Amino acid sequence: MSLQQKFTGTGIAIITPFNEDRSIDWVNFENLIHFWIENKIEYLVAIGTTGESATQTREEEQEVFDFVKKITAGRVPLVAGVGGNDTREVIDAFGNMKLEGYDAILSVSPYYNKPRQEGIYQHYKALNDAAPLPIIMYNVPGRTGMSVSVETTLRIAHDCANIFATKEASGSFEQVNQIMRGKPDDFMVISGDDSITLPMIACGARGLISVVANAYPREYSDMVRLCLAGKFEQALPLHLKYLDVVDALFKEGSPSGVKYVLHKMGYCKNSMRLPVVPISKQHEAHIDQLMAGL
C-alpha cells in the first residue's frame, strides 16, 4: 500500500490518557485504541499536540510509541509525532527513537523561535535529510506563532523527497488553494482543522488528522469517506451536526475539551498535565447539553 493510500481518510491525533497523579493510564489507553480502530478510522497519530507532547519526555514518548504499536498490532497505519523547536534535538530524536512499526513521522514547524521562512525551510530540509521515515509536515500557526507560507510549503514539497504531506491548519483557504495549485501530484494535503474538513476536501485535501474523532470516530470518519467519494450532499448533515461540538471542544483549550467528552463516555479520566487544566464547570454544562443533543 502506498503512502497516499495509507493516509487518505481519517487519522486521529490521539489523546494520552492520564491517571489522577498524571502518570500514563495504560488500561484506558488500551481500551481507547480498540475503540478507535473498531470504529473504522484509517490511522492513528501518537504524541501530537492532542497527546500533550509538550509535557512528555522523549523517554515517555518512546513508551507511548511502543505501547500503541503493541496494542494496534498492525491493524492500522501509525504516525509518530516527533517535533520541536531545536532542529538538532529533533534530529537526535530521529536517531535515538525506535520507530519500527510506524509508517510516518508528523513534525510540527518550529514554535516560539519565530524563524523567518528560510529558517523553516532549512529546518525541514535538515529533517528530510535525517528522516528514518517519511514525514508529514505540520503548519499550525495558532500554536507555533509562525505560519509556513505557501512558497515555503511548495519549496519543501518539491525539494524534500522524504516529506510527502502537510497537515495544514492555517485556516486559510487562499493558502490551501495555492498549495493545491503548485504542489507535486504525489504531495498530500491533509486537513488539520476539524471544522473545515469538508470544504478542504472539496479543494483537494485527502482527509483529516482529527481531534474530534477521538470521541466520535465512526461518524467523523464516515463523513470524510463520503467527501472523498464526492458525496458531499450526504456528508453535509454529518459535517453540520458536529459544528457546535467542534467549537465547544476547542473553546477552553485542547485536549481539555475532548478529554472531558471521553471522560463522560467512560473512556478516560478527566486528567491533564499542567499547565493544561480541565474545562470550567460552566463549559462542562454546555458540552453536556451538546452531547445530549447528539
Side-chain angles (χ1 to χ4, degrees):
M1 186 185 296
S2 70
L3 286 171
Q4 286 69 29
Q5 290 172 315
K6 286 181 179 179
F7 298 110
T8 293
T10 301
I12 303 179
I14 64 175
I15 66 158
T16 305
F18 296 123
N19 294 303
E20 287 85 352
D21 65 359
R22 307 309 188 264
S23 61
I24 296 173
D25 179 356
W26 300 110
V27 173
N28 277 319
F29 210 163
E30 179 172 351
N31 293 334
L32 278 163
I33 291 168
H34 293 310
F35 167 65
W36 293 322
I37 295 173
E38 288 164 6
N39 280 280
K40 307 302 182 184
I41 54 83
E42 271 75 36
Y43 59 99
L44 297 176
V45 181
I47 308 292
T49 306
T50 311
E52 296 179 70
S53 56
T55 52
Q56 295 193 57
T57 65
R58 291 296 190 196
E59 291 73 22
E60 286 178 311
E61 291 177 356
Q62 183 67 67
E63 286 186 81
V64 170
F65 292 150
D66 292 345
F67 184 80
V68 171
K69 178 181 71 173
K70 181 180 76 172
I71 303 304
T72 301
R75 288 177 288 170
V76 295
L78 296 175
V79 180
V82 186
N85 62 345
D86 178 345
T87 308
R88 180 177 57 182
E89 192 278 333
V90 177
I91 290 172
D92 287 345
F94 281 1
N96 294 329
M97 284 183 151
K98 297 175 182 176
L99 298 176
E100 294 85 358
Y102 279 75
D103 300 273
I105 289 168
L106 176 71
S107 199
V108 68
S109 65
Y111 46 84
Y112 189 76
N113 313 60
K114 285 194 171 183
R116 63 189 181 92
Q117 293 299 313
E118 182 63 24
I120 294 172
Y121 172 80
Q122 293 296 341
H123 171 82
Y124 276 116
K125 181 66 167 63
L127 266 55
N128 172 82
D129 294 345
L133 290 170
I135 294 174
I136 303 169
M137 58 186 291
Y138 182 17
N139 181 34
V140 57
R143 287 188 178 272
T144 64
M146 202 73 178
S147 186
V148 184
S149 70
V150 171
E151 292 76 16
T152 300
T153 301
L154 293 179
R155 189 179 172 198
I156 292 166
H158 284 279
D159 293 355
C160 300
N162 287 323
I163 300 177
F164 74 97
T166 181
K167 179 185 176 185
E168 177 58 45
S170 65
S172 167
F173 278 100
E174 180 180 0
Q175 171 134 336
V176 171
N177 286 332
Q178 293 294 336
I179 292 170
M180 290 296 179
R181 185 169 68 176
K183 73 178 185 66
D185 290 342
D186 60 353
F187 185 81
M188 300 175 70
V189 176
I190 300 168
S191 172
D193 197 334
D194 287 274
S195 64
I196 58 172
T197 294
L198 184 149
M200 277 191 67
I201 293 175
C203 291
R206 297 304 302 160
L208 163 71
I209 295 177
S210 175
V211 174
V212 177
N214 274 279
Y216 300 105
R218 185 173 293 273
E219 284 201 303
Y220 230 78
S221 56
D222 283 348
M223 185 270 289
V224 170
R225 280 189 284 269
L226 286 168
C227 290
L228 290 168
K231 298 177 181 179
F232 290 100
E233 287 188 11
Q234 292 173 250
L236 185 59
L238 288 172
H239 166 72
L240 297 175
K241 176 180 178 179
Y242 285 96
L243 281 182
D244 289 343
V245 175
V246 172
D247 179 66
L249 294 192
F250 288 94
K251 188 172 184 179
E252 291 193 356
S254 180
S256 301
V258 75
K259 274 195 165 180
Y260 175 72
V261 172
L262 287 166
H263 169 66
K264 291 288 288 186
M265 291 176 167
Y267 282 108
C268 72
K269 300 174 179 71
N270 193 29
S271 298
M272 282 66 64
R273 285 184 175 174
L274 288 171
V276 177
V277 295
I279 61 174
S280 66
K281 293 299 180 183
Q282 181 180 6
H283 196 45
E284 283 183 5
H286 175 58
I287 288 180
D288 289 347
Q289 187 176 28
L290 291 173
M291 290 179 71
L294 290 175

